[in-house]
Amino acid sequence: MFWALIPALALILNGRPEAAKLPAPQPVSAPVTVAFWEEPAAFDSRAERELLDLVNRTRVRAGLNPFRLDDGLSRAARDHASEMAKRRELSHQFAGESELGQRIASESNLFLIEAAENVASAENVDRAHDGLMHSPPHRENLLHPSYNTIGIGIVRRGDMLYVVQDFGNSMPKYSAEKAADLLAKSVSRKRAEAHLPDLPKEDGAEARKEACAMSAADSLKTPGSFSGRYLLRYTSSQPDVLPSAALKPLQDATVKTFSVGSCFAPSKSYPNGMYWVVLSFR
């Protein structure tokens, strides 16, 4: 029996430069000498379907929801599996290759706030899955409760399968109007919890304009004329969740109105996209 793994990779795609959490290195088998003539690498779609079935049955037995298969994540996984098969080497990133977050963003339209990757090589799907499930960091990715989508790429080269599993926590993408509406409802709820009157919402066109300017500049510190007694500029993956800085104006009985503008966009800091928000209380 032969299978090989490298440490699992997990990323938090929350707008900061993506931070990889790597467990202690594990041994990887020595590279195989390449013969003069070899069978070319080829995608194994049947093996991909078999592995998805094994993974989802494992999650259901653990009381978790099965993964949704995403075509974009699968394209990213296949591209990386092809690189591993070509080099006969396991890695999360080769020289000249984009990092995981950028690879996913270039292939998938999903809005992911977390992403992770497992890579392995084995003689067949059962052994690949068994090896991953017996490795704590890889098992953690497979059974992570917040991951809800997966892409699988398997490339066969000779008698070996090179396996890539890309995972993500996929969140809804809202229009600017819907995101602003969710924020407004959160403002109303927090005011009610503070036993204060509801605040009228003013027109948010200027606030949205400044939010989109921030996203275009990939910075919260863009010049702007929008003002208020309390002015908050921030990014968020969940527009219905207010930042802690909003607590003071929400509990201020002298505040009379508010306005909000939101702009969802990808940027260098947020390759999968993020909500840029301007929230003003007057």
Side-chain angles (χ1 to χ4, degrees), residues 152-167:
I152 296 177
I154 299 180
V155 174
R156 181 179 295 278
R157 184 165 189 175
D159 59 356
M160 293 300 299
L161 298 178
Y162 290 84
V163 179
V164 176
Q165 298 168 327
D166 286 342
F167 311 93

Side-chain angles (χ1 to χ4, degrees), residues 2 48-49 69 87 89 103 127 148 152 156-157 159 168-169 177 184 186 190 200 214 233 254 261 263 269 272 282:
F2 176 88
E48 292 169 354
R49 292 192 298 270
L69 184 68
R87 300 167 186 261
E89 182 182 351
R103 295 201 307 266
R127 288 176 177 172
N148 54 21
I152 296 177
R156 181 179 295 278
R157 184 165 189 175
D159 59 356
N169 182 356
E177 293 77 12
S186 294
K190 291 297 183 181
M214 293 190 306
R233 292 176 163 211
T254 65
C263 190
S269 297
N272 288 278
R282 300 174 187 271

